[in-house]
Amino acid sequence: MKQTNKIDGSKIPEKKNQKQMINTDLGSAERFKPDLSVGLSATQVLQRKGQGYINATKNKVGKTYRSIFFSNIFTFFNILTFIVAGALIWANAEVTQLLFLAIIVANITIGIVLEIKSKLAVEKLSLISAPNAVAVRDGEKVKIPINEVVLDDILYFDLGKQICADCIVEDGDIEVNESMLTGESVPVKKSKGDVLYSGSFVSSGSCYARVDKVGATNYVETLTSVAKSYRKPKSELQNSIKRIMTVATFFIIPISIFLVYRTYKSGFTMAETIMSASGAVVGMIPAGMFLLTSVALAVSVIRLSTRNILVQDLYCIEMLARVDVLCLDKTGTITDGSMQVK
């Protein structure tokens, strides 16, 4: 099956299951300065795509699905609980003796579900909403998807259009609304030689502009990448739980070994010994505390989500609860974190 090139009607091979290379090193790129009425040729466009200079980004941000499952399942107390459950199953214990697993499974499920929902919401964060752009190629204006815009493309912008990549105005005068980037609602006039930042909108006029940056090198991507990045929260609640786990570890393991040894030496069979000792071990695991903490934080996340507030981590709720005063400037953006109110 051959694919038709929209530019010159030639046939190009269809590449199946092949990921497009994305190159963010613009310093080594050979720059083109095409004529405004002609734009890039089909050969130059294919060259740019082959080099990876396209207006697309790698969508790998925050925690991966593997790390989400791993961090929620493979905790010390979860592993200890699974070992106890495995020993009980080996000893042919009744199902009622394994009901403690319900607490662990509920705790794991809450953490995984909420983190996956947050990850999906974060990946949808984008200040670019325009699906298409108007480019000049081979002397004709063509409408192309924004992820097919390449470096040094000549784009045409008029009233209402969104800037999809950082460009330099080559001809024309326009006014752009950069409120999504700066918070300032006053239109900014742009003339030949000025920079158009991706994410802004054309409020008046029209112009031809040459694409100066693409993909992750765009200014708007540096903003969204900060919002999408994951950093472990500095949570006192989380640190306290870790301290409890550390202290409990020094008691649970030696006590468990001692109980198994004493019970077995008392003449009980290994199956009876496991059933007896497992009850004491499960009682020492503070699973209820973990579940209660997760449920309380999960309820907070759900209440915030109803107000369109994105929470990347359960323990971020604690930091939000510690906020007494939120300082904003005249445009409603959050001020610099280094400021102090006296």
Side-chain angles (χ1 to χ4, degrees), residues 49-80:
K49 290 182 177 180
Q51 294 170 339
Y53 296 124
I54 58 176
N55 195 38
T57 57
K58 295 179 181 179
N59 198 23
K60 294 183 178 180
V61 294
K63 298 175 70 174
T64 62
Y65 290 108
R66 180 182 297 179
S67 64
I68 289 175
F69 278 92
F70 188 88
S71 61
N72 283 279
I73 295 175
F74 297 100
T75 64
F76 171 74
F77 283 118
N78 286 351
I79 294 174
L80 184 60

Side-chain angles (χ1 to χ4, degrees), residues 18 48 59 64 69 91 102 109 123 136 162 168 192 196 207 218 272 283 289 311 313 315 320 339-340:
Q18 182 173 350
R48 284 291 193 230
N59 198 23
T64 62
F69 278 92
T109 303
E123 289 178 350
V136 179
Q162 186 180 30
I168 297 177
K192 184 177 180 179
L196 299 176
C207 74
N218 285 322
E272 293 173 336
M289 180 190 68
V311 180
D313 192 282
Y315 291 95
L320 181 61
M339 297 176 62
Q340 294 183 350

Side-chain angles (χ1 to χ4, degrees), residues 173-319:
D173 295 293
I174 62 172
E175 288 187 341
V176 295
N177 186 331
E178 298 180 344
S179 59
M180 294 183 67
L181 307 178
T182 64
E184 297 291 343
S185 59
V186 179
V188 181
K189 186 176 181 180
K190 302 285 185 176
S191 303
K192 184 177 180 179
D194 291 336
V195 178
L196 299 176
Y197 293 105
S198 53
S200 55
F201 287 86
V202 179
S203 56
S204 66
S206 62
C207 74
Y208 288 90
R210 179 175 55 84
V211 177
D212 188 54
K213 295 180 181 178
V214 289
T217 59
N218 285 322
Y219 176 72
V220 72
E221 290 297 331
T222 62
L223 297 181
T224 55
S225 62
V226 174
K228 292 180 179 180
S229 62
Y230 174 79
R231 290 170 291 179
K232 289 186 177 180
K234 298 178 181 179
S235 168
E236 287 296 327
L237 181 60
Q238 189 177 39
N239 293 335
S240 299
I241 292 177
K242 287 183 178 179
R243 283 194 291 268
I244 294 174
M245 292 170 58
T246 304
V247 173
T249 303
F250 289 102
F251 291 96
I252 292 177
I253 295 179
I255 291 176
S256 302
I257 296 174
F258 177 75
L259 286 174
V260 172
Y261 175 78
R262 287 294 302 272
T263 306
Y264 187 71
K265 284 295 184 179
S266 299
F268 291 92
T269 63
M270 181 56 69
E272 293 173 336
T273 300
I274 290 174
M275 291 184 187
S276 176
S278 63
V281 173
V282 171
M284 289 186 288
I285 299 175
M289 180 190 68
F290 295 140
L291 180 59
L292 184 62
T293 303
S294 297
V295 169
L297 295 176
V299 170
S300 300
V301 171
I302 293 172
R303 291 182 62 185
L304 288 173
S305 64
T306 58
R307 302 188 180 186
N308 297 322
I309 298 175
L310 174 62
V311 180
Q312 284 189 275
D313 192 282
L314 284 177
Y315 291 95
C316 292
I317 302 295
E318 179 191 352
M319 289 185 286

Side-chain angles (χ1 to χ4, degrees), residues 73-130:
I73 295 175
F74 297 100
T75 64
F76 171 74
F77 283 118
N78 286 351
I79 294 174
L80 184 60
T81 304
F82 293 146
I83 292 175
V84 173
L88 286 173
I89 293 173
W90 178 84
N92 294 321
E94 297 180 0
V95 177
T96 54
Q97 293 181 272
L98 299 173
L99 292 179
F100 63 90
L101 284 176
I103 298 177
I104 302 300
V105 172
N107 191 35
I108 292 174
T109 303
I110 290 173
I112 291 177
V113 170
L114 290 179
E115 286 197 36
I116 289 179
K117 287 185 66 176
S118 297
K119 175 180 174 61
L120 294 175
V122 168
E123 289 178 350
K124 292 179 181 178
L125 282 178
S126 177
L127 295 180
I128 303 294
S129 58

